[in-house]
Amino acid sequence: MAFNSILNKIFNLFILRRMKGINQFIEHPIETQQRVLFSLLSQAKNTEYGKLHRFEEIKSYEDFNKQVPIVSYEDFEPFIEKARQGNSDVFWPGKIKHFAKSSGTTNAKSKFIPISDESLQNCHYKAGKDLLAIYINNHKDSNLFKFKNLRLGGSAELYESFGTKFGDLSAILIENLPFWVERTTTPSREVSLMSEWETKLKAIVSEVKNKNVGSLTGVPSWMMVLLQRVLKGTGKKSISEVWPNLEVFFHGGISFVPYREQYKQLIGRDIRYYEIYNASEGFFGIQDRFGSDEMLLMLDYGIFYEFIPMDTFG
C-alpha cells in the first residue's frame, strides 16, 4: 500500500506536466510533427538507409517528399532482414534487438516490424503512461493505483536468431516492462509469458481471481473469454462480485460496439471504457474524452504521419 501511495504522488506530478505537453501538441500539431520528422532524420542520417536517401541534405518536408520514396513492406524487407541478422546502423542507429512478428496481409506472409529501444520507451511505454495520465486527469476520484491492473496479451513466446528476438508485440513489451509496472499488474510475468493458450488461461484465472483488480487492459474478445472463465472458476454471477473495485476497461484491437452490452451483463454494472489504438508498428491513438467515440492522434511518439491521397498507390 505504501508503494502505491508513493507511486500515486509521483504520478500526480507527472500528470500535470504531461497534460501540458499533450495540450501543447494539440494546439501546435504541424510544428510538433516537423520536430519529430527532423529528429528522426538527424538520428538516422548515418545509417545505411539514411545515406542511401541523403537524409543529411533534407532541409524541408518538400525535400523529404522528393528524396525518400513511398515503399511497400516488400520493398523495405531486405533492410529488415539485414537488421534481423544482427547488423547495426541499417535504418536506425545501433542494433535492433526486437522484431514484432505481425500477421501479413499480403500473400499471408508474416511481417517483422523493428522495435528499437527508443520506440519501446518513447512510443509504447510512453503511451501507457499517457493513457493513465489522461484517465486520471478526467476522473479525479479514481482509485486506480490502489488496485491491480489485469493485463491480457497475445502469444507470449519469443524466438531468437542472430542475437535478435522476434515474436508477438505483447511478449516484447512484457519482457521489457519496468519494475514498477510489474508491481501494479497481474498476472505475473511468468504466467503472462506462458505460451500454450489453454494452460495459460487456467494459470491466469488461478492467479487473478483472488487479486483486487481495479482495471482491465486487453482485446475485448480475448478479455471476455478470460472473464467468463473467472466467473466459472469462482462460482460468482458477475465480475463485480469478484472485483468490486473494478472501474475501467482499457481496450483496443477490435471494435467494442458489438461487445458493450455483453460486458455490461458480464460485469453486472456500469464501468468506464477507454479505447486505444496500438499496433506492432506503433502506438497511435488514445481516447482522451470519456464517453467519446473518437481518439486523439498522439503526435510526439517519434512517428511522422504523412497524409497522402489514396490514388497515390494506383
Side-chain angles (χ1 to χ4, degrees), residues 40-41 43-58 64 66-80 82-83 88-93 306:
L40 293 172
L41 292 171
Q43 292 179 80
K45 65 184 179 182
N46 292 320
T47 64
E48 180 181 340
Y49 199 76
K51 292 176 181 177
L52 177 65
H53 296 293
R54 309 191 313 278
F55 282 6
E56 192 167 7
E57 299 175 14
I58 297 176
F64 172 77
K66 291 176 183 177
Q67 290 180 211
V68 183
I70 297 172
V71 296
S72 65
Y73 176 85
E74 288 70 27
D75 294 328
F76 197 69
E77 189 173 19
F79 295 96
I80 290 178
K82 196 168 185 178
S88 299
D89 303 323
V90 180
F91 45 77
W92 190 250
E306 188 175 17

